[in-house]
């Protein structure tokens, strides 16, 4: 995790920090000697060295502390920058089904062989920002607030013990005991005390975030259903619990600090008493006891470092776990994907945990074919699109241009098989930037052609700043959002166009006209839709039912046969006011 250059930087930071703290000890020792010796009225020349020593220690202390900060932060920030890149790469590879060695086998226990789509999606949705930002910054804290201060503290403590042993072994032994207590005993107490507290605080903080967000986001619904009080009470209870835990943690922290100060004073007194009992002269007694005072003080931050270490452990564990478990980079010698690849699915099965989304789906989509996927909500339609674009791994075979999908570079698969999917996002940027994302070199004429086809051009030209009007997802109507995303998908111009409910949010006439136009495209189109009316233009319709193919055929064939498609068609026809025996319109 830490490169050689940064290790050297950290070494110099520890060396400079130790030097700075030793100067602090030297300053106290020299000042103590100076005061005690001055009381004996020696000639001024006898004090000259100590006077220079005091000034020198004071100057060096400042300089070395500055050097420690500089070197330590440079190394820690360097480690952080490198780590961010590695975590990003690991996340990218973890989300890429093609780079996983366990792609085609069960990856978890239990009777249902699990695809990895669910875990990848969970990673993407919930943990991504957390891992990229908070966890990696935790590693920075680990270096700057835990390891560095602890290393400096112990280096100083050992030096002070060595000095005391040389001056008076018995006093050195007492100092060693005090330092052991303050630098190892108290940190152990702090770590144990904060271990369960940190875990419970993390839970309470997460509860508060969840309940607080519910209240903020669902304020209108809660008010309408008269449930505001109940939900606010839930958030209040979470806040109160967190407050209790934080107060307890503060008490623990303050108690450890108070104990540290007590150990520091008692050690200095014990050294003084020991030195006197050993018959040391007044100057030596003063030097030893004040040195003990400063030396114990230097190890007091180790308790705070231990407490912080406990808090940071989960973040550090997550980062190291992610780096260790990320699959290796995909083989760069992957074959080239043709301009018009055909697709074949054989026995495709996808499970999200215990939920089986697709169960043994076979499907052949030759280049140029228009396939519509229909079925009830939750039947597995969107999952099927995700399988085609390589977003979700499967237990089964996906062949692209005759070769297994995982043989190709995932970037090539994504470029060739993509379109409008359910998780497409509208960015807080201009209309132009939102569309050009799909093709940065697109001219305004290209953008206009895609927008016209998506039925969005009129709206764009009527905007105050036209193409350069800034937009955000929540300011668009459902239909505008969908058409913007469709225009982006059309601009990308992939050989296999995936369309998940492209006409959602539009009135029926516009929606049907749009879908009919999209199905008239020259390329391969795989369309997911709830609306059957325009599907006469599809070459094949696949009806999914609970992850299995229930029926397949053309619109005319399926309407002629009793089965789920005809049921859906009759229901739709009744709803739209058309006669059930009208097959096309
Ligand atoms: N990320 C996920 N985690 C867990 N379960 C999921 C996830 N995505 C889908 N599922 C489950 O998989 C099944 C198929 O979902 P999918 O989204 O493919 O259905 P769908 O036919 O597209 O539904 P809809 O028409 O409502 O969009 C459903 O039972 C759904 O709850």
């Amino acid at each position: 995790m830490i490169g050689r250059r940064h290790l050297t930087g950290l070494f110099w930071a520890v060396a400079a920090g130790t030097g700075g703290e030793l100067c602090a000890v030297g300053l106290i020792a020299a000042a103590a000697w100076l005061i005690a010796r001055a009381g004996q009225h020696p000639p001024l020349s006898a004090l000259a060295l100590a006077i220079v020593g005091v000034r020198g220690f004071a100057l060096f202390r400042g300089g070395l502390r500055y050097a420690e900060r500089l070197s330590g932060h440079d190394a820690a920030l360097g480690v952080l920058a490198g780590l961010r890149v590695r975590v990003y790469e690991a996340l990218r590879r973890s989300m890429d089904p093609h780079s996983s060695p366990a792609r085609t086998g069960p990856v978890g226990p239990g009777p249902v062989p699990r695809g990895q789509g669910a875990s990848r999606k969970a990673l993407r949705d919930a943990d991504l920002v957390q891992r990229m930002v908070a966890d990696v910054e935790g590693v920075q804290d680990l270096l700057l607030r835990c390891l560095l201060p602890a290393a400096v503290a112990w280096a100083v403590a050992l030096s002070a013990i060595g000095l005391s042993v040389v001056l008076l072994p018995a006093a050195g032994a007492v100092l060693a005991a005090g330092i052991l207590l303050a630098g190892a005993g108290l940190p152990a107490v702090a770590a144990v005390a904060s271990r369960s507290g940190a875990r419970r605080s993390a839970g309470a903080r997460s509860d508060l975030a969840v309940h607080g967000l519910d209240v903020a986001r669902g304020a209108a619904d809660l008010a309408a259903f008269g449930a505001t009080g109940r939900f606010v009470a839930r958030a209040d209870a979470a806040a109160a619990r967190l407050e209790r835990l934080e107060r307890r943690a503060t008490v623990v922290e303050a108690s450890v600090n108070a104990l540290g100060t007590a150990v520091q004073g008692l050690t200095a007194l014990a050294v003084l008493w020991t030195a006197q009992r050993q018959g040391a002269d007044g100057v030596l007694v003063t030097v030893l006891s004040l040195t003990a005072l400063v030396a114990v003080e230097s190890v007091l931050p180790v308790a705070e470092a231990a407490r912080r270490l406990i808090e940071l452990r989960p973040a550090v564990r997550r980062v190291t776990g992610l780096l260790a478990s990320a699959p290796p980079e995909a083989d760069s010698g992957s074959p080239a994907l043709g301009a018009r690849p055909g697709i074949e699915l054989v026995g495709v099965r996808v499970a999200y945990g215990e939920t089986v989304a697709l169960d043994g789906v076979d499907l052949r989509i030759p280049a140029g074919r228009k396939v519509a996927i229909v079925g009830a909500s939750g039947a597995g339609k969107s999952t099927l699109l995700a399988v085609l674009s390589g977003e979700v791994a499967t237990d089964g075979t996906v062949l692209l241009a005759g070769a297994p999908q995982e043989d190709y570079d995932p970037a090539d698969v994504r470029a060739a098989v993509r379109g409008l999917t359910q998780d497409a996002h509208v960015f807080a940027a201009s209309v132009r930037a939102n569309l050009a994302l799909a093709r940065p070199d697109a001219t305004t004429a290209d953008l206009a052609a895609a927008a016209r086809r998506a039925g969005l051009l009129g709206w764009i030209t009527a905007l105050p700043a036209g193409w350069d009007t800034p937009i955000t997802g929540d300011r668009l109507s459902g239909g505008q959002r969908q058409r913007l995303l469709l225009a982006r998908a059309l601009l990308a111009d992939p050989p296999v166009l995936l369309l998940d409910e492209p006409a959602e949010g539009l009135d029926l006439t516009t929606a049907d006209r749009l879908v009919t136009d999209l199905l008239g495209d020259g390329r391969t189109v795989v369309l997911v839709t709830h609306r059957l009316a325009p599907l006469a233009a599809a070459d094949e319709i696949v009806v999914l039912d609970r992850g299995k193919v229930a029926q397949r055929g053309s619109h005319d064939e399926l309407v002629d046969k009793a089965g789920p498609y005809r049921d859906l068609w009759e229901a739709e026809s009744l709803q739209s006011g058309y006669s059930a025996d009208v097959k096309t319109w």
Side-chain angles (χ1 to χ4, degrees):
M1 199 185 280
I2 304 179
R4 201 193 186 131
R5 188 174 86 78
H6 300 312
L7 265 182
T8 312
L10 286 173
F11 169 79
W12 285 119
V14 171
T18 306
E21 290 304 313
L22 283 178
C23 282
V25 176
L27 179 65
I28 291 291
W33 186 88
L34 190 62
I35 293 164
R37 185 77 180 95
Q40 297 169 346
H41 304 294
L44 191 60
S45 58
L47 302 178
L49 191 64
I51 293 169
V52 173
V54 167
R55 284 188 183 159
F57 282 134
L59 274 175
F60 276 114
R61 185 182 60 165
L64 287 169
R65 280 186 177 168
Y66 178 72
E68 179 214 346
R69 297 283 185 281
L70 205 64
S71 186
H73 279 76
D74 179 58
L77 292 176
V79 169
L80 198 65
L83 192 61
R84 280 220 167 95
V85 173
R86 288 182 56 201
V87 165
Y88 176 79
E89 284 297 323
L91 281 170
R92 185 183 60 72
R93 293 202 304 276
S94 301
M95 285 181 213
D96 182 354
H98 299 270
S99 57
S100 167
R103 183 171 188 265
T104 53
V107 295
V112 182
R114 300 176 184 189
Q116 294 178 3
S119 59
R120 283 198 181 89
K121 188 143 177 32
L123 192 66
R124 179 165 40 227
D125 291 348
D127 256 4
L128 185 78
V129 176
Q130 166 80 355
R131 288 193 179 185
M132 278 301 287
V133 181
D135 290 358
V136 175
E137 260 157 34
V139 174
Q140 174 191 330
D141 272 9
L142 176 75
L143 294 176
L144 288 180
R145 299 203 184 170
C146 299
L147 302 185
L148 199 61
V152 168
W154 271 100
V156 173
L158 291 176
S159 309
I161 291 172
L163 177 73
S164 299
V165 166
V166 169
L167 293 177
L168 190 69
V174 173
L175 176 61
I179 282 178
L180 209 61
L181 198 58
L186 283 181
V189 170
V192 170
S194 57
R195 186 175 297 152
S196 67
R199 204 172 35 238
R200 273 184 286 165
S201 287
R205 205 165 292 122
S206 141
D207 281 353
L208 178 59
V210 169
H211 297 324
L213 213 60
D214 267 357
V215 170
R217 289 209 174 140
D221 285 339
L222 293 177
F225 296 126
T228 306
R230 198 154 32 92
F231 276 71
V232 168
R234 224 170 45 153
D236 281 349
R241 183 164 162 251
L242 181 61
E243 193 186 332
R244 257 196 324 276
L245 289 168
E246 300 253 304
R247 200 173 299 139
R248 200 175 301 161
T250 311
V251 169
V252 169
E253 192 183 336
S255 308
V256 168
N257 287 346
L259 276 174
T261 310
V263 170
Q264 181 190 10
L266 287 174
T267 306
L269 283 177
V271 167
L272 186 140
W273 182 76
T274 309
Q276 276 180 340
R277 290 254 321 197
Q278 294 282 314
D281 70 13
V283 174
L284 187 58
V285 170
T286 311
V287 169
L288 284 171
S289 49
L290 287 181
T291 300
L293 201 67
V294 182
V296 177
E297 188 181 16
S298 71
V299 292
L300 291 182
V302 180
E304 169 60 16
R307 217 178 51 75
R308 193 90 189 103
L309 185 68
I310 295 296
E311 281 173 13
L312 292 174
R313 237 172 22 165
V316 174
R317 214 179 274 152
R318 275 198 297 265
V319 170
T320 47
L322 177 70
L323 293 179
S325 65
E329 198 63 75
D331 182 8
S332 58
S334 40
L337 199 52
R340 284 168 58 83
I343 304 181
E344 190 168 355
L345 308 186
V346 185
V348 161
R349 176 189 173 91
V350 173
Y352 296 102
E354 300 302 314
T355 308
V356 180
L358 289 179
D359 193 4
V361 171
D362 298 327
L363 181 62
R364 228 170 69 77
I365 313 176
R369 198 169 176 83
K370 320 287 175 275
V371 178
I373 316 288
V374 303
S377 181
K381 305 182 292 295
S382 301
T383 303
L384 184 59
L385 292 195
V387 167
L388 293 174
S389 61
E391 276 290 299
V392 170
T394 83
D395 305 319
T397 308
V398 182
L399 298 172
L400 265 180
Q405 194 184 45
E406 62 266 31
D407 287 0
Y408 296 98
D409 183 334
D412 287 349
V413 175
R414 277 193 291 270
V417 187
R418 63 172 151 167
L420 169 57
T421 51
Q422 275 190 350
D423 55 2
H425 183 69
V426 173
F427 294 87
S430 67
V431 177
R432 183 191 301 278
N434 262 289
L435 292 187
L437 194 69
R439 184 141 57 94
D441 61 346
T443 61
T444 304
D446 296 332
L447 300 182
R452 186 178 300 111
R453 230 183 134 195
L456 198 65
L457 192 58
W459 175 74
I460 294 173
T461 46
L463 286 171
W467 292 102
D468 297 313
T469 308
I471 48 168
T472 53
D474 52 6
R475 296 229 190 108
L476 300 174
S477 74
Q480 286 161 349
R481 178 182 181 282
Q482 204 68 356
R483 277 186 280 181
L484 185 76
L485 295 170
L486 173 63
R488 185 199 287 165
L490 291 171
L491 194 68
D493 198 23
V496 180
L497 181 63
L498 307 181
L499 296 170
D500 200 341
E501 301 287 1
E504 203 175 30
L506 301 183
D507 65 85
L508 290 185
T509 316
T510 315
D512 291 348
R513 202 181 309 131
L514 178 68
V515 171
T516 308
D517 172 53
L518 291 169
L519 287 174
D521 213 290
R523 75 186 102 210
T524 313
V525 176
V526 184
L527 164 80
V528 165
T529 180
H530 279 103
R531 174 97 179 138
L532 312 183
L535 295 192
D539 297 318
E540 183 180 15
I541 298 164
V542 175
V543 185
L544 286 182
D545 182 22
R546 278 161 290 178
K548 291 184 190 295
V549 176
Q551 274 187 306
R552 61 175 88 212
S554 70
H555 175 77
D556 288 353
E557 287 164 3
L558 294 177
V559 167
D560 273 344
K561 262 189 268 176
Y565 189 84
R566 190 155 85 185
D567 296 344
L568 287 171
W569 173 242
E570 285 174 352
E572 182 179 303
S573 302
L574 277 176
Q575 234 177 17
S576 315
Y578 293 104
S579 159
D581 50 19
V582 176
K583 292 176 190 168
T584 57
W585 58 286

